[in-house]
Amino acid sequence: MLENYASNEQGGFARLKAFRFYIGVVFYVGCTVSLIGQSDTIASSVQLDTVVISVGRLEVPYLTLPASVSTIDLSKKTHYTSHTDLSEAVNQIPGLFALNGQNYAQDLRISLRGFGARSAFGIRGVKLIVDGVPETTPDGQGQLDNVSVADITSIQVMQGTSGSQYGNAAGGVISLSTDRSSAENATEASFRFGSFGLQQYRLNTFQNFNGTQLFLSGTHQRLNGYRNQSKLVQTNLLAKFSKKWGDQQLKWSASLLSSPTAQDPGGINLEQAIAQPASARDRNVSFDAGEEITHWKTSVKYDNELNDHLDLSTTAFFSGRSFDGRLPFAGGGAIDLNRKYGGLMLQLNHKEIGNNFVSKGSYGIDLLSQRDNRDRFDNNEGIRGDATLSQIEKFDNIGLYLIRQFGYKLWTLRGSARYDINKIGVDDAFLSDGDDTGSESLNAFSYSIAANYNYSAKQSIFLNHSTSFETPTLSELSANPSGAGGFNSDLKPSKASTIELGIKRSLDETFSYAVTIFHIATDDESLPFEVADQPGRTFFRNAGKTKRTGLELSATVKASKALSLQWSYAYSNFKFDDFTLNGDDLSGIRLPGIPQHSLSTSITYEHNQLYIKASSQYFSSISVRNDNTVAVDPYHIVNLRLGYELEAGGTTIRPFVGINNLLSSTYYDNLRLNAFGSRYYEPAAGVNWQAGLGVLF
């Protein structure tokens, strides 16, 4: 079984971790004692900054947060953006790289400062939060297929490691909001059509009855896909209810995803990608690779302001996911997964705001539980055959955390710490090949210390140090290269330590910017690979050590009331520091799956109900193998969005059109790292379009 993470620290890393722990405790206690009771006024910059950041589990003004955070407001223009995936919106965030927007069987794959790049599907290593409720499971796996892009109104991204706030797999945090509390009562019906057989129909309504708010939405879409074997049929439903009385508020939500068809065209080699980019891998067709999913989720959140200084937040949620998947090989290629995931989160918030100081804190406990009933069968060319595996996989988490932020004069100091008790286990129900039942504890401590200085009324500089950890997911552990049941005993958790320095200017200004440099040291980073006798199935192994040094820049200029420009750039120098594979020393080689340079620019014009947005994204070459012997060329994507609003007797009509990949660049929507048979490539579509009409009444 896995080695215990708490007892697996090595040499200097263990001593360094202990030293950091004591420094963190001294820092935290010292801040608490020294800052309370000071007698000077707070800097006006803190009072003027109106953009509130909540992604760090503590609501604070943007300028006072000593961390790298990006925000995206989609509330007014979400109907003009692409509704098929979120990559268009999030790729403008420096350090964030999204792939797999056109393979709906694998879901959008997001990496943040390299965390998540190894994921074979979905979002891995990055904590995903939706309306304050974790979408990421306790083992670290997340997906966005059960969240309709059209429902999202805002996005907040914390680029740095955040284990001290969210625990496992918090190499970064993406917080999505569907909040419409400030919106006017309205009902909207819309439809859109586009390339490759796209059909999408949507109906939603928001109503506010004297403090009682109701939001209902439904989205149905069909798509043949650019490549063969890439059809999608999907329906998303969302219901939200909110009631506020006095100092108390109750929020309830429920969502449902039904996706009876999501085909997987698979990766192909370079020769096939050049000659027939729209083709699928032949085995993916013959084995009918793809998935069928039903996912539901419900949550209740109760907030109670106990007094002027304390408020208590209680959140309970539960979700279920039924997954029927088919991989392009016979032995164990059919998967039947039934997941139950639920949790209870309690958070006590404290604040003191006086004439001479600001003090805010959060103290909480997360109780999370995940159960995966996993069965594997032979895949007889799309027909389920004999059983090859049956087991119940378990991951339970208890996370205790505290966060404290203090402001005095021009300074803000922040400290946070979290201890996670993680218990994983497997109950083997397929005993013909032996009993592989077992369990293991992977406990971990994470912390962060940071300082922020407002050197003007509109600008600040910050320095922080944080740690995080990442356990293997249950699906990664169950992918055992030996072919046995149970878990892969060779796969270990990874640990990361980050130092970050940045400057930023208030988001309220006509000119805002952020510049961040960082260094991340990681032990036992996990990387994907395939084996000859099971091509198409992804396994994982640990690298020794990696080092990541990066620079992130972003700027927004509001040139006039109608015209705004946005620009972001990321330099990612991510390399193996100590890694030997098959006798070859790969130390100093770049990590695969991540471009070293990425640049995003956009120009938006809004005037008299006219909306025009042109956006451009550039990515440098990307290695697809650990040894860097194969890489894809740099590529450049240009998208265009046009929309207009017509008022007619109290009804708003919104026609819109979008053109993707306007220059018809050749690039790859997804890259399968270290794939067997050089099948690294999933070609992306050339010029394609979407057009539609929305009616608001």
Side-chain angles (χ1 to χ4, degrees), residues 158-186:
M158 181 175 287
Q159 282 100 312
T161 53
S162 306
S164 62
Q165 295 146 57
Y166 290 99
N168 186 23
V173 184
I174 300 175
S175 177
L176 309 177
S177 174
T178 63
D179 178 60
R180 283 170 168 76
S181 58
S182 60
E184 297 180 355
N185 291 359

Side-chain angles (χ1 to χ4, degrees), residues 453-601:
Y453 178 70
N454 287 88
Y455 60 90
S456 79
K458 302 175 182 178
Q459 299 170 103
S460 66
I461 183 170
F462 67 86
L463 175 67
N464 72 51
H465 168 59
S466 58
T467 66
S468 68
F469 70 99
E470 186 175 348
T471 69
T473 67
L474 294 178
S475 61
E476 292 171 354
L477 288 167
S478 67
N480 199 333
S482 69
F487 286 156
N488 178 4
S489 59
D490 294 329
L491 199 56
K492 299 181 291 185
S494 62
K495 294 83 66 178
S497 174
T498 300
I499 296 177
E500 185 180 32
L501 173 66
I503 60 173
K504 51 189 176 183
R505 182 181 174 92
S506 174
L507 296 176
D508 292 327
E509 302 303 313
T510 56
F511 171 58
S512 61
Y513 67 85
V515 181
T516 305
I517 57 175
F518 63 88
H519 177 77
I520 305 173
T522 305
D523 274 10
D524 294 322
E525 183 150 352
S526 185
L527 297 170
F529 70 99
E530 293 185 7
V531 296
D533 59 345
Q534 298 186 67
R537 186 179 182 187
T538 303
F539 302 94
F540 295 87
R541 59 184 158 217
N542 295 104
K545 299 176 184 292
T546 65
K547 286 186 177 179
R548 309 177 194 181
T549 302
L551 168 67
E552 296 167 354
L553 312 172
S554 63
T556 300
V557 178
K558 299 176 183 177
S560 67
K561 186 176 181 180
L563 185 66
S564 62
L565 299 89
Q566 190 173 48
W567 178 78
S568 67
Y569 167 77
Y571 169 70
S572 305
N573 185 24
F574 302 164
K575 296 182 177 181
F576 294 113
D577 185 45
D578 181 11
F579 182 37
T580 300
L581 179 63
N582 299 327
D584 296 326
D585 185 1
L586 301 184
S587 302
I589 299 293
R590 283 173 50 197
L591 294 181
I594 307 159
Q596 191 168 29
H597 303 276
S598 59
L599 174 66
S600 173
T601 59

Side-chain angles (χ1 to χ4, degrees), residues 115-280:
F115 292 97
R118 80 169 196 254
S119 178
F121 61 91
I123 299 173
R124 182 73 183 91
V126 178
K127 188 68 70 172
L128 182 63
I129 310 294
V130 179
D131 291 328
V133 178
E135 197 65 40
T136 301
T137 50
D139 67 342
Q141 183 70 54
Q143 64 281 317
L144 279 169
D145 52 10
N146 57 309
V147 182
S148 173
V149 176
D151 288 330
I152 300 171
T153 55
S154 67
I155 305 172
Q156 291 186 1
V157 177
M158 181 175 287
Q159 282 100 312
T161 53
S162 306
S164 62
Q165 295 146 57
Y166 290 99
N168 186 23
V173 184
I174 300 175
S175 177
L176 309 177
S177 174
T178 63
D179 178 60
R180 283 170 168 76
S181 58
S182 60
E184 297 180 355
N185 291 359
T187 298
E188 183 176 19
S190 66
F191 67 88
R192 67 177 63 204
F193 299 98
S195 300
F196 318 121
L198 171 65
Q199 302 176 51
Q200 187 181 91
Y201 308 93
R202 176 171 168 80
L203 179 65
N204 69 89
T205 184
F206 174 79
Q207 302 295 325
N208 190 335
F209 310 98
N210 298 320
T212 300
Q213 298 179 348
L214 178 66
F215 176 68
L216 302 172
S217 78
T219 305
H220 176 76
Q221 65 179 3
R222 293 174 173 268
L223 183 67
N224 292 330
Y226 164 61
R227 299 176 63 198
N228 299 334
Q229 188 71 20
S230 60
K231 289 183 180 179
L232 171 71
V233 179
Q234 180 174 293
T235 300
N236 290 88
L237 302 176
L238 175 64
K240 297 180 64 179
F241 169 86
S242 175
K243 172 67 176 179
K244 188 172 184 179
W245 64 98
D247 296 329
Q248 303 175 73
Q249 185 175 30
L250 179 68
K251 295 181 179 180
W252 169 83
S253 71
S255 62
L256 173 67
L257 162 72
S258 175
S259 180
T261 303
Q263 295 179 328
D264 180 7
I268 55 181
N269 61 33
L270 184 60
E271 291 76 12
Q272 185 177 353
I274 294 174
Q276 298 176 303
S279 65

Side-chain angles (χ1 to χ4, degrees), residues 312-535:
L312 178 65
S313 176
T314 304
T315 303
F317 68 95
F318 193 73
S319 66
R321 187 175 181 90
S322 175
F323 173 89
D324 182 358
R326 296 169 303 280
L327 299 175
F329 54 84
I335 305 168
D336 185 0
L337 175 70
N338 286 281
R339 171 175 294 161
K340 296 295 185 292
Y341 169 34
L344 176 66
M345 303 185 298
L346 303 174
Q347 180 170 310
L348 181 66
N349 301 312
H350 172 263
K351 62 181 178 181
E352 289 284 346
I353 302 178
N355 294 326
N356 53 5
F357 69 92
V358 174
S359 173
K360 288 188 175 183
S362 291
Y363 315 91
I365 180 171
D366 296 337
L367 305 173
L368 307 175
S369 182
Q370 174 185 352
R371 294 291 183 273
D372 288 0
N373 292 356
R374 188 184 307 273
D375 296 302
R376 287 187 178 273
F377 305 85
D378 289 334
N379 182 0
N380 298 325
E381 296 189 347
I383 304 300
R384 182 180 293 182
D386 295 335
T388 62
L389 180 143
S390 179
Q391 58 191 32
I392 300 175
E393 302 162 2
K394 301 174 285 187
F395 199 115
D396 295 315
N397 166 258
I398 300 175
L400 301 166
Y401 65 90
L402 57 88
I403 308 167
R404 198 75 195 178
Q405 180 163 314
F406 306 93
Y408 169 64
K409 284 190 176 181
L410 305 178
W411 286 93
T412 302
L413 301 178
R414 181 181 175 112
S416 58
R418 179 178 172 117
Y419 187 75
D420 283 275
I421 302 171
N422 295 310
K423 182 69 175 295
I424 69 168
V426 57
D427 293 336
D428 191 355
F430 190 78
L431 303 179
S432 60
D433 59 352
D435 189 352
D436 294 296
T437 299
S439 63
E440 189 74 30
S441 294
L442 303 174
N443 305 335
F445 172 77
S446 307
Y447 72 94
S448 173
I449 53 176
N452 188 88
Y453 178 70
N454 287 88
Y455 60 90
S456 79
K458 302 175 182 178
Q459 299 170 103
S460 66
I461 183 170
F462 67 86
L463 175 67
N464 72 51
H465 168 59
S466 58
T467 66
S468 68
F469 70 99
E470 186 175 348
T471 69
T473 67
L474 294 178
S475 61
E476 292 171 354
L477 288 167
S478 67
N480 199 333
S482 69
F487 286 156
N488 178 4
S489 59
D490 294 329
L491 199 56
K492 299 181 291 185
S494 62
K495 294 83 66 178
S497 174
T498 300
I499 296 177
E500 185 180 32
L501 173 66
I503 60 173
K504 51 189 176 183
R505 182 181 174 92
S506 174
L507 296 176
D508 292 327
E509 302 303 313
T510 56
F511 171 58
S512 61
Y513 67 85
V515 181
T516 305
I517 57 175
F518 63 88
H519 177 77
I520 305 173
T522 305
D523 274 10
D524 294 322
E525 183 150 352
S526 185
L527 297 170
F529 70 99
E530 293 185 7
V531 296
D533 59 345
Q534 298 186 67

